[in-house]
């Protein structure tokens, strides 16, 4: 298969155009202008709200004028991550894609199918003249990936439809009807640097090649977290040898991605430097064995490095002990049998970076139960507060609760069974979707979410299963044909 054979051709053509447009979260200006110009060029009612969300409306095809209005919704921004040795500027460069068997992926960067493929599906529907549908509103929100601020800033009345289909899901054959709420917790240690003890030897330990992934949808896959691994070795070394000092700690980039690489710099007494190197090698073998199923491609490296001032020892120790202690991963599983053992509550230790005077920590908590989201944030915050850090928990975003009598779910499920002769999975998702915020401003809106299969989102291994795009396209068009009358 090559890129010229991708089906539906109209969807992949739109996706290729989208991937030439820089659209990092919070910097979607070029994408907003592209969508606005696209809608106006096609003679469609197009509006941009004060937040930067775009809506393009298209009237019903002949004979469908009395159907209820459907909102198709996706987000225009993308997670920007790349391999550490790849030169790429997400503010300027086009994503370079290639076909790998049945998968579409990118050269050393995130693919942008989350949620560029949803945007492409919407544009392909808007551009077509042979699809039956009632009135539709295609909505493109900004800044979904770093806090859902586009949906947060959308005012009631911007959308006017009766049903909403969110195209930001990642498992074809699964219909999502609820999602987790989320919140970020930040912690900051402050300190003064000082000279390392006389006779210290500086070592830099690094790790890369972890799988990483989406901190919501992949948190149940038991993948390694680079921060936890690096801190674990530093703590072990501090406990084993007197006089070990921490100078640098860097790992992680985004609140919604599991950290996949990082490094530390430590000062060790000169007479134990070879012991520490040997410990690193043993530690690497042990950790690789722990994660041999989920993270088989770990790359470990330790080298000598230049001397530099170290973090105040008392602060460094409390920081490392807090990182060792803090909850990371699954905290609770949903008790509701209808949600099939889905993760209810979790936390992701997302990024840690040191400066000359601070250690800055970002973590992300999620839950389908808002009281347990509060509890999870308090649990994470307590570990860092006890260690002396300043802790702040953000406002976050709400969960989307399952609607028991959803007519749209019924239509979507029956359509899927008719087309593919099998039952779809109807479930909740532990990731955050904008549907939670929409449900606050549009309490009567009937919503579902589905989309083609994506894997390794929020990482440079992100890939899109090509045949599932055709399946989602066929499914969506059949749903549009079967929307009931007003």
């Amino acid at each position: 298969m090559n890129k010229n054979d991708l089906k539906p051709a109209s969807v992949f053509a739109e996706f290729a155009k989208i991937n030439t447009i820089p659209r990092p979260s919070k910097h979607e200006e070029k994408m907003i202008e592209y969508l606005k110009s696209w809608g106006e060029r096609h003679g469609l009612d197009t509006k941009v709200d004060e937040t930067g969300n775009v809506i393009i409306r298209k009237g019903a095809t002949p004979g469908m004028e009395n159907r209820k209005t459907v909102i198709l919704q996706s987000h225009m921004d993308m997670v920007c991550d790349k391999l550490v040795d790849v030169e790429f500027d997400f503010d300027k460069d086009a994503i370079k894609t290639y076909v790998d068997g049945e998968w579409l992926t990118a050269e050393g960067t995130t693919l942008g199918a989350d949620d560029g493929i949803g945007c492409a599906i919407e544009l392909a529907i808007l551009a077509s003249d042979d699809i039956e549908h009632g009135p539709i509103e295609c909505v493109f929100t900004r800044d979904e990936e770093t806090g859902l601020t586009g949906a947060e800033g959308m005012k009631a009345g911007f959308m006017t439809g009766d049903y909403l289909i969110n195209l930001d899901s990642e498992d074809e054959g699964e219909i999502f009807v609820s999602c987790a709420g989320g919140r970020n917790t930040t912690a900051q240690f402050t300190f003064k640097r000082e000279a390392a003890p006389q006779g210290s030897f500086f070592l830099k330990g690094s790790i890369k090649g972890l799988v990483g992934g989406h901190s919501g949808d992949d948190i149940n896959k038991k993948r390694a977290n680079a921060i936890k691994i690096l801190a674990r070795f530093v703590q072990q070394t501090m406990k084993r040898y007197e006089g070990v000092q921490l100078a640098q700690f860097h790992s992680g980039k985004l609140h919604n991605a599991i950290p996949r690489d990082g490094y530390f710099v430590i000062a060790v007494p000169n007479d134990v430097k070879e012991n520490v190197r040997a410990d690193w090698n043993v530690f690497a073998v042990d950790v690789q064995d722990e994660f041999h199923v989920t993270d088989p491609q770990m790359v470990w490296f330790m080298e000598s490095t230049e001397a530099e001032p170290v973090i105040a020892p008392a602060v460094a120790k409390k920081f490392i002990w807090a990182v060792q202690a803090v909850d990371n991963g699954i905290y609770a599983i949903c008790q509701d049998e209808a949600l099939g053992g889905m993760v209810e509550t979790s936390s992701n230790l997302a990024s840690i970076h040191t400066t000359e005077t601070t250690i800055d920590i970002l973590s992300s908590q999620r839950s389908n139960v808002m009281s347990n989201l509060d509890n999870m944030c308090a649990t994470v915050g307590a570990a860092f507060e006890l260690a002396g850090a300043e802790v702040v928990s953000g406002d976050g975003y709400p969960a989307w609760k399952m609607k028991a009598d959803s007519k749209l779910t019924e239509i979507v499920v029956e359509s899927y069974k008719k087309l593919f002769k099998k039952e779809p999975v109807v479930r909740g998702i532990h990731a955050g979707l904008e549907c939670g915020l929409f449900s606050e401003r549009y309490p009567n809106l009937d919503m579902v979410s589905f989309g083609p299969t994506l894997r390794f989102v929020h990482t440079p291994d992100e890939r899109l299963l090509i045949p599932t795009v055709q399946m989602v396209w066929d499914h969506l068009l059949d749903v549009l044909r079967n929307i009931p009358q007003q």
Side-chain angles (χ1 to χ4, degrees):
M1 183 184 294
N2 61 57
K3 286 199 278 190
N4 294 328
D5 298 326
L6 303 183
K7 304 294 183 183
S10 60
V11 173
F12 281 101
E14 294 291 352
F15 184 55
K17 294 174 187 175
I18 288 169
N19 263 352
T20 67
I21 305 165
R23 56 191 197 283
S25 300
K26 299 190 184 299
H27 298 282
E28 306 93 340
E29 293 79 12
K30 292 179 181 178
M31 187 63 178
I32 293 168
E33 182 56 36
Y34 174 78
L35 291 168
K36 181 174 181 290
S37 299
W38 192 101
E40 292 171 348
R41 187 169 69 252
H42 285 78
L44 299 172
D45 179 20
T46 304
K47 291 184 172 59
V48 182
D49 72 5
E50 59 190 34
T51 302
N53 303 305
V54 179
I55 189 167
I56 304 175
R57 293 184 171 91
K58 185 180 181 184
T61 55
M64 303 282 283
E65 294 86 355
N66 63 345
R67 304 298 178 97
K68 291 188 174 183
T69 300
V70 175
I71 303 162
L72 304 178
Q73 184 266 321
S74 55
H75 65 83
M76 66 180 82
D77 62 319
M78 65 174 283
V79 168
C80 298
D81 195 12
K82 65 182 184 67
L83 297 176
V84 293
D85 52 355
V86 169
E87 292 293 327
F88 193 89
D89 187 343
F90 283 101
D91 291 320
K92 297 178 181 177
D93 299 339
I95 303 295
K96 298 176 182 177
T97 64
Y98 67 95
V99 175
D100 181 13
E102 290 192 316
W103 298 87
L104 185 69
T105 189
E107 297 180 12
T109 71
T110 38
L111 174 64
D114 175 16
D115 188 23
I117 197 65
C119 295
I121 289 171
E122 291 187 64
L123 292 177
I125 289 174
L126 288 170
S128 73
D129 56 9
D130 60 353
I131 294 173
E132 289 184 281
H133 59 77
I136 56 174
E137 298 179 344
C138 287
V139 175
F140 308 85
T141 52
R142 72 179 305 179
D143 193 28
E144 186 268 352
E145 298 288 6
T146 61
L148 293 88
T149 59
E152 174 68 34
M154 184 188 295
K155 293 182 178 178
F158 185 65
M159 303 186 296
T160 63
D162 304 282
Y163 297 136
L164 184 144
I165 300 174
N166 170 278
L167 297 168
D168 188 26
S169 295
E170 298 159 8
D171 295 278
E172 191 284 321
E174 299 190 358
I175 313 301
F176 295 96
V177 294
S178 73
C179 74
R183 190 178 305 156
N184 290 343
T185 300
T186 62
Q188 185 178 75
F189 292 86
T190 57
F191 58 85
K192 292 184 178 179
R193 289 190 177 269
E194 56 186 62
Q198 196 76 16
S200 292
F201 188 86
F202 281 75
L203 290 168
K204 179 180 179 180
S206 63
I207 187 172
K208 65 179 182 177
L210 279 62
V211 172
H214 190 292
S215 64
D217 207 29
D218 294 324
I219 202 70
N220 64 335
K221 296 179 174 63
K222 301 182 181 179
R223 294 175 183 167
N225 180 310
I227 289 174
K228 294 291 283 186
I229 290 173
L230 294 170
R232 179 174 159 188
F233 181 79
V234 174
Q235 192 213 26
Q236 168 187 302
T237 306
M238 286 180 166
K239 290 179 71 176
R240 188 167 292 173
Y241 309 106
E242 290 188 12
V244 175
Q245 309 292 337
L246 178 67
Q248 299 285 346
F249 195 108
H250 297 278
S251 182
K253 300 178 182 71
L254 304 163
H255 77 100
N256 51 8
I258 300 168
R260 61 197 310 270
D261 52 54
Y263 71 91
F264 60 76
V265 174
I266 55 175
V268 304
N270 192 63
D271 61 351
V272 302
K273 63 184 180 184
E274 296 307 323
N275 301 66
V276 175
R277 290 182 190 272
D279 293 343
W280 176 257
N281 292 333
V282 173
F283 180 75
V285 171
D286 289 342
V287 172
Q288 284 174 310
D289 183 59
E290 288 178 28
F291 295 100
H292 72 279
V293 174
T294 59
D295 295 80
Q297 304 298 324
M298 291 183 181
V299 178
W300 301 72
F301 193 67
M302 180 169 276
E303 61 183 335
S304 59
T305 189
E306 295 295 321
E308 60 178 289
V310 297
I311 297 169
V315 174
K317 180 177 179 180
K318 288 179 180 179
F319 155 65
I320 289 294
W321 262 246
V323 173
Q324 178 69 24
V326 74
D327 267 294
N328 187 78
I330 298 172
Y331 184 79
I333 299 294
C334 286
Q335 299 181 43
D336 190 338
E337 292 183 3
L339 294 176
M342 184 182 76
V343 177
E344 177 213 274
T345 305
S346 72
S347 183
N348 175 52
L349 194 52
S351 74
I352 297 179
H353 295 282
T354 53
T355 70
E356 285 303 299
T357 58
T358 64
I359 305 170
D360 298 305
I361 302 166
L362 172 63
S363 65
S364 174
Q365 291 73 51
R366 301 176 188 266
S367 184
N368 289 62
V369 179
M370 297 308 287
S371 61
N372 217 7
L373 178 62
D374 294 339
N375 178 45
M376 185 80 262
C377 293
T379 299
V380 171
F384 290 118
E385 284 186 23
L386 284 169
E390 291 290 328
V391 174
V392 176
S393 188
D395 294 331
Y397 54 89
W400 167 32
K401 294 183 178 179
M402 182 170 58
K403 186 180 178 71
D405 58 348
S406 168
K407 178 64 177 176
L408 181 57
T409 301
E410 178 186 329
I411 295 167
V412 168
V413 168
E414 289 305 312
S415 170
Y416 192 90
K417 289 161 60 178
K418 177 184 67 177
L419 289 173
F420 305 117
K421 312 304 180 189
K422 59 182 179 179
E423 292 274 353
V425 176
V426 179
R427 71 178 187 91
I429 188 171
H430 190 58
L433 292 172
E434 291 154 300
C435 297
L437 287 162
F438 298 149
S439 67
E440 288 191 328
R441 290 176 178 78
Y442 302 86
N444 296 319
L445 195 58
D446 197 350
M447 297 181 284
V448 299
S449 177
F450 60 85
T453 296
L454 293 169
R455 289 294 177 263
F456 308 115
V457 295
H458 299 180
T459 81
D461 296 321
E462 180 186 354
R463 51 188 50 220
L464 168 66
L465 187 56
I466 295 164
T468 64
V469 180
Q470 183 71 60
M471 295 175 72
V472 169
W473 176 257
D474 293 342
H475 186 201
L476 181 57
L477 299 196
D478 188 69
V479 169
L480 292 177
R481 283 192 292 268
N482 288 282
I483 294 298
Q485 297 182 3
Q486 298 179 20

